[in-house]
Amino acid sequence: VQLQASGGGLVQVGGSLRLSCAASGRTLSSYNLGWFRQAPGKEREFVASIRWSIASTLYADSAKGRFTISRDNAKNSVYLQMNSLKPEDTAVYYCAANSKWYLSSRINEYDYWGQGTQVTVSS
């Protein structure tokens, strides 16, 4: 699976951004797609994931109520809608995929990674 993330940028506090991740190379019906982020000097952390076949979702506590993960079958893409952005959301955001039967927040359980896209929230 090849993953291509896009949509990052500079936004003010309270603003919104939508990240996109285009997937290719495999049929995604048995895959999970996830978003992770890594802030400067910090470890990469889980943000959200979605099971492609049934669109079930999992969120980190920091994302609940503000971020929404979704997917578009026709475009073979997954999205992360981010609202009410805070300075602490500033990070490089990565999309990832695995073929496990369960949704996971563990970085080491994701086998495929895209390049990151920078999100900067200014105060």
mmCIF file with all atom_site columns, all heavy atoms in Angstrom, residues 45 79 87 93 107:
data_model
loop_
_atom_site.group_PDB
_atom_site.id
_atom_site.type_symbol
_atom_site.label_atom_id
_atom_site.label_alt_id
_atom_site.label_comp_id
_atom_site.label_asym_id
_atom_site.label_entity_id
_atom_site.label_seq_id
_atom_site.pdbx_PDB_ins_code
_atom_site.Cartn_x
_atom_site.Cartn_y
_atom_site.Cartn_z
_atom_site.occupancy
_atom_site.B_iso_or_equiv
_atom_site.pdbx_formal_charge
_atom_site.auth_seq_id
_atom_site.auth_comp_id
_atom_site.auth_asym_id
_atom_site.auth_atom_id
_atom_site.pdbx_PDB_model_num
ATOM 1  N N   . GLU A 1 45  ? 2.643   10.034 17.909 1.00 0.00 ? 45  GLU A N   1
ATOM 2  C CA  . GLU A 1 45  ? 1.489   9.585  18.686 1.00 0.00 ? 45  GLU A CA  1
ATOM 3  C C   . GLU A 1 45  ? 0.275   9.362  17.799 1.00 0.00 ? 45  GLU A C   1
ATOM 4  O O   . GLU A 1 45  ? 0.130   9.972  16.738 1.00 0.00 ? 45  GLU A O   1
ATOM 5  C CB  . GLU A 1 45  ? 1.136   10.613 19.774 1.00 0.00 ? 45  GLU A CB  1
ATOM 6  C CG  . GLU A 1 45  ? 0.699   11.956 19.262 1.00 0.00 ? 45  GLU A CG  1
ATOM 7  C CD  . GLU A 1 45  ? 0.299   12.903 20.390 1.00 0.00 ? 45  GLU A CD  1
ATOM 8  O OE1 . GLU A 1 45  ? 0.532   12.603 21.569 1.00 0.00 ? 45  GLU A OE1 1
ATOM 9  O OE2 . GLU A 1 45  ? -0.256  13.970 20.071 1.00 0.00 ? 45  GLU A OE2 1
ATOM 10 N N   . TYR A 1 79  ? -9.562  10.832 5.236  1.00 0.00 ? 79  TYR A N   1
ATOM 11 C CA  . TYR A 1 79  ? -9.476  12.245 5.576  1.00 0.00 ? 79  TYR A CA  1
ATOM 12 C C   . TYR A 1 79  ? -9.435  12.423 7.090  1.00 0.00 ? 79  TYR A C   1
ATOM 13 O O   . TYR A 1 79  ? -9.946  11.589 7.842  1.00 0.00 ? 79  TYR A O   1
ATOM 14 C CB  . TYR A 1 79  ? -10.670 13.002 5.008  1.00 0.00 ? 79  TYR A CB  1
ATOM 15 C CG  . TYR A 1 79  ? -10.849 12.809 3.526  1.00 0.00 ? 79  TYR A CG  1
ATOM 16 C CD1 . TYR A 1 79  ? -11.781 11.896 3.036  1.00 0.00 ? 79  TYR A CD1 1
ATOM 17 C CD2 . TYR A 1 79  ? -10.067 13.516 2.608  1.00 0.00 ? 79  TYR A CD2 1
ATOM 18 C CE1 . TYR A 1 79  ? -11.937 11.698 1.678  1.00 0.00 ? 79  TYR A CE1 1
ATOM 19 C CE2 . TYR A 1 79  ? -10.217 13.314 1.249  1.00 0.00 ? 79  TYR A CE2 1
ATOM 20 C CZ  . TYR A 1 79  ? -11.153 12.405 0.798  1.00 0.00 ? 79  TYR A CZ  1
ATOM 21 O OH  . TYR A 1 79  ? -11.300 12.214 -0.556 1.00 0.00 ? 79  TYR A OH  1
ATOM 22 N N   . PRO A 1 87  ? -2.618  25.306 19.529 1.00 0.00 ? 87  PRO A N   1
ATOM 23 C CA  . PRO A 1 87  ? -1.162  25.300 19.259 1.00 0.00 ? 87  PRO A CA  1
ATOM 24 C C   . PRO A 1 87  ? -0.534  23.931 19.481 1.00 0.00 ? 87  PRO A C   1
ATOM 25 O O   . PRO A 1 87  ? 0.406   23.555 18.753 1.00 0.00 ? 87  PRO A O   1
ATOM 26 C CB  . PRO A 1 87  ? -0.635  26.332 20.246 1.00 0.00 ? 87  PRO A CB  1
ATOM 27 C CG  . PRO A 1 87  ? -1.773  27.270 20.458 1.00 0.00 ? 87  PRO A CG  1
ATOM 28 C CD  . PRO A 1 87  ? -3.003  26.411 20.425 1.00 0.00 ? 87  PRO A CD  1
ATOM 29 N N   . TYR A 1 93  ? 1.906   15.399 10.487 1.00 0.00 ? 93  TYR A N   1
ATOM 30 C CA  . TYR A 1 93  ? 0.861   14.378 10.516 1.00 0.00 ? 93  TYR A CA  1
ATOM 31 C C   . TYR A 1 93  ? 1.149   13.330 9.452  1.00 0.00 ? 93  TYR A C   1
ATOM 32 O O   . TYR A 1 93  ? 1.449   13.670 8.288  1.00 0.00 ? 93  TYR A O   1
ATOM 33 C CB  . TYR A 1 93  ? -0.504  15.019 10.284 1.00 0.00 ? 93  TYR A CB  1
ATOM 34 C CG  . TYR A 1 93  ? -1.022  15.739 11.496 1.00 0.00 ? 93  TYR A CG  1
ATOM 35 C CD1 . TYR A 1 93  ? -0.432  16.932 11.914 1.00 0.00 ? 93  TYR A CD1 1
ATOM 36 C CD2 . TYR A 1 93  ? -2.084  15.230 12.246 1.00 0.00 ? 93  TYR A CD2 1
ATOM 37 C CE1 . TYR A 1 93  ? -0.887  17.593 13.049 1.00 0.00 ? 93  TYR A CE1 1
ATOM 38 C CE2 . TYR A 1 93  ? -2.537  15.879 13.372 1.00 0.00 ? 93  TYR A CE2 1
ATOM 39 C CZ  . TYR A 1 93  ? -1.945  17.060 13.776 1.00 0.00 ? 93  TYR A CZ  1
ATOM 40 O OH  . TYR A 1 93  ? -2.398  17.711 14.897 1.00 0.00 ? 93  TYR A OH  1
ATOM 41 N N   . ILE A 1 107 ? 1.620   2.358  17.223 1.00 0.00 ? 107 ILE A N   1
ATOM 42 C CA  . ILE A 1 107 ? 2.441   2.700  16.057 1.00 0.00 ? 107 ILE A CA  1
ATOM 43 C C   . ILE A 1 107 ? 3.070   1.465  15.437 1.00 0.00 ? 107 ILE A C   1
ATOM 44 O O   . ILE A 1 107 ? 3.097   1.316  14.202 1.00 0.00 ? 107 ILE A O   1
ATOM 45 C CB  . ILE A 1 107 ? 3.523   3.709  16.460 1.00 0.00 ? 107 ILE A CB  1
ATOM 46 C CG1 . ILE A 1 107 ? 2.881   5.027  16.849 1.00 0.00 ? 107 ILE A CG1 1
ATOM 47 C CG2 . ILE A 1 107 ? 4.553   3.898  15.354 1.00 0.00 ? 107 ILE A CG2 1
ATOM 48 C CD1 . ILE A 1 107 ? 3.839   6.029  17.432 1.00 0.00 ? 107 ILE A CD1 1
#
